[in-house]
Amino acid sequence: MTSTDRPPARAWPPTPDFDVWPVEHLPAAAETDGRIVTVTWDDGRVSRYHAIWLRDNAADPATHSPATREQVGHPWDLPADLAVTSASLAGDGSIEVAFAPEGRTLAYHPGWLRALDYSNGRHDDLGDIAPTYWDCRRLAAPPTFDGPACVERDGALLEALEALMEYGIVRLRDMPADETAVQQFAERIGTIRNSNFGFLFDVKTAPADSRKAADSNAYFAGALAPHTDLATREYEPGLQLLHCLKNTTRGGRAVYADGFAIAAHIRRTDADLWRAVTQIEWTFTNRSPATDYRWRAPLVVLGRDGEPVEIRATTFLRGPLNVDYDDVEAAYAGLRAFQTLAAGDRFAMTFDYAPGDLIAFDNRRVLHGRTAFDEAAGERALKGCYMEREEVLSRIRVLRRARRANRAA
Amino acid sequence: MTSTDRPPARAWPPTPDFDVWPVEHLPAAAETDGRIVTVTWDDGRVSRYHAIWLRDNAADPATHSPATREQVGHPWDLPADLAVTSASLAGDGSIEVAFAPEGRTLAYHPGWLRALDYSNGRHDDLGDIAPTYWDCRRLAAPPTFDGPACVERDGALLEALEALMEYGIVRLRDMPADETAVQQFAERIGTIRNSNFGFLFDVKTAPADSRKAADSNAYFAGALAPHTDLATREYEPGLQLLHCLKNTTRGGRAVYADGFAIAAHIRRTDADLWRAVTQIEWTFTNRSPATDYRWRAPLVVLGRDGEPVEIRATTFLRGPLNVDYDDVEAAYAGLRAFQTLAAGDRFAMTFDYAPGDLIAFDNRRVLHGRTAFDEAAGERALKGCYMEREEVLSRIRVLRRARRANRAA
């Protein structure tokens, strides 16, 4: 079948979402045994769907609100003896399924039904982007994009955000060096995460008379060892934006390192250190008269599949280690190894911030730091905010959806 | 030693934090083998501390900033041959430790050192509050507190927040029924979580002409089955506040249920259902033209200790189930069992919202819902916001610290 043979998409039944489902294949046959609907497609593929799955995902207004596309019917309210009495093909290529004891016939969009076939293995409904780990041999500088293009054009933004999810860091060049640009760009992605440091924060030397009230080492001119921010929180921010407004000091070079790559290196080279960084928990404690956030986690948090999902390396927020007596020296050995790698030539990417540079990075993967700077030599000002990985992923999905809609139109 | 014998706290060495460390016991002896410092206390307890632990936690200005109390020295910069050359007691009860090769002597606060002893088992540095699971036989209504007292008095607030962490729900009565009260109370605890629904949100029937653009079922007058909010997010909000401003409709009764208690019931009674609700993952998908958040999780998420840490039950945001073919019917059976219990007489606590009531609940534990209401019969308006569990825990720690300081003064 060529594309000109296709019936127009709008003639097909609705789907329970706002997405676009190109029809690549049409069903050739549909049958049922009452519990399962079996669809044979024009390329020979056979897909099987359970009655309860089809009924739950029906796009009729009694099941999904046409306004919100959210469920208004619930599967636990369906009759316990739910069954399919017939499955057949409509002339336009949709699949019609009749349910008992309700006596209702519901129609399914063939592009949607084919894409969501779960009987031939799981499909990638999250749109996952696999990480590429890097050291400085692989990546000498952050993947760099034109800032204004990303603000103005969806295609450019999508490309930058996909690189951000793959490498954990991107640099946007030539953003306006003003106070509002970081928020504008952040809101082009999604929702900014509020914190006790405010909605937006300024990283610049604190005025001398306010030094005693500073609530973070970041507000001094000293070097900052590579770290993640807010390891004291149950939910370490998944994304950080840092936008350079001014930089006329000497020093203050940016330092970034891929914590997942460091973890992989340790795993390859030293089983004792690997155990230490993945199994022994530090207690991270926020020091402030006003707040007292705490969280307990190893330096490298592993997901259910055993791969790193999160680095917890806010080293200057480590509280007193509170672990088994025999693990204390191993914990420090792991910390020393991890931080030495993060600051070393192989893993620490360094560069100078130029005014207008906006660095976006995965704060749960990529450590950031800086060399010390001479505050008498000039001014240095960064403006930043926190977000979450899921804001980036949501924007990527919406941009990909729009691209599919454009192609289908 | 009676309290009047104690030296004044300010004479003791500083600690690397903003906390208060009452001295209940003084050291009777201190000695070292170079690697370990052994302290014998006046009650006979023997505590052992590693050289690296003591050195890393020193409160001198080169190790911890006196302004921020954050680390400015790093343990990986210490000499690899770090050793203790002597450990001794000062006249005021502090412990003095000399380090080689640095040649520095650092002093430790006895209350701090005793409290953080890790050589006799881990201490509770998070200040954990164990949950008490409830059904309606145990808890007929939310633990209820006087709202204005919680706003004005730290002691009343602390009591309410401790109950919130224990039961997952509290009700504050007689809050001002105005638009600002929920934000004021939230900020008495900590930081509000922003979302695509806004910083604050209004739960009331959408005006008829905006129905088609509504972005959540909550904005209609229908019943809402017990659910958690935002299961589509990696980080489901840990806390929700709902403040009743007006309620002159018929119906719209509040429904709350303890998801952890329901999970425990399923665990006790049916191994197949327990596997289904804890092992089979639903894909939760946000339906919106503007955002597309997704997350995959079972209904009941277990922590490392095998106990429930999170309920994912935004049933109207379930996307098409995408699991092993043979798990489909089991997944629906688990969902049916869980939601039927959540709405049933045993677990579903129901009551009417009165203007001025503010309900605070753990959105990752306690499901909320409502019965349908008659929008023609009157007005119903709730104002709400999201926060995190950790904001509550931080406030509890700060309030407890202030109480310790008051008692010590």
Side-chain angles (χ1 to χ4, degrees), chain A residues 180-386:
Chain A
T180 62
V182 71
Q183 180 172 350
Q184 280 178 351
F185 180 71
E187 291 178 347
R188 181 97 165 90
I189 302 174
T191 300
I192 292 175
R193 172 167 165 172
N194 201 11
S195 84
N196 59 318
F197 293 103
F199 190 69
L200 302 176
F201 51 81
D202 292 290
V203 185
K204 52 189 177 188
T205 307
D209 60 0
S210 72
R211 285 291 167 85
K212 293 206 77 157
D215 55 359
S216 168
N217 284 348
Y219 303 137
F220 298 113
L224 288 176
H227 63 282
T228 59
D229 273 9
L230 303 197
T232 53
R233 308 301 169 91
E234 178 170 3
Y235 302 141
E236 208 180 34
L239 187 69
Q240 186 168 169
L241 305 184
L242 285 176
H243 178 214
C244 179
L245 301 181
K246 288 181 188 164
N247 192 8
T248 57
T249 56
R250 283 192 300 272
R253 278 175 71 79
V255 180
Y256 289 90
D258 182 357
F260 289 179
I262 296 168
H265 175 81
I266 293 174
R267 178 181 235 161
R268 275 195 308 273
T269 54
D270 194 312
D272 289 340
L273 291 177
W274 177 248
R275 187 193 76 84
V277 299
T278 59
Q279 301 302 319
I280 305 178
E281 293 182 343
W282 292 89
T283 305
F284 294 94
T285 65
N286 156 240
R287 325 291 156 73
S288 166
T291 56
D292 192 347
Y293 299 104
R294 301 181 180 214
W295 194 247
R296 198 181 283 142
L299 283 179
V300 178
V301 179
L302 304 180
R304 272 175 283 194
D305 62 356
E307 296 302 314
V309 291
E310 179 170 273
I311 304 297
R312 292 268 176 174
T314 316
T315 183
F316 46 89
L317 297 180
R318 287 179 301 105
L321 189 63
N322 179 24
V323 298
D324 291 348
Y325 181 81
D326 291 334
D327 274 343
V328 169
E329 287 171 330
Y332 279 100
L335 178 67
R336 181 184 286 256
F338 188 92
Q339 292 285 162
T340 302
L341 288 165
D345 286 344
R346 174 161 175 194
F347 289 101
M349 170 197 285
T350 61
F351 57 90
D352 286 310
Y353 290 117
D357 281 0
L358 191 159
I359 311 295
F361 62 98
D362 181 339
N363 179 65
R364 291 161 68 198
R365 168 181 172 185
V366 169
L367 294 87
H368 65 293
R370 68 166 183 237
T371 62
F373 60 92
D374 177 0
E375 57 190 307
E379 277 187 281
R380 183 179 190 277
L382 304 175
K383 201 166 189 78
C385 67
Y386 298 121

Side-chain angles (χ1 to χ4, degrees), chain B residues 13-17 54-64 66 106-108:
Chain B
T15 61
D17 54 40
L54 288 165
R55 183 62 191 81
D56 184 35
N57 289 298
D60 68 299
T63 310
H64 282 84
L106 296 161
Y108 296 85

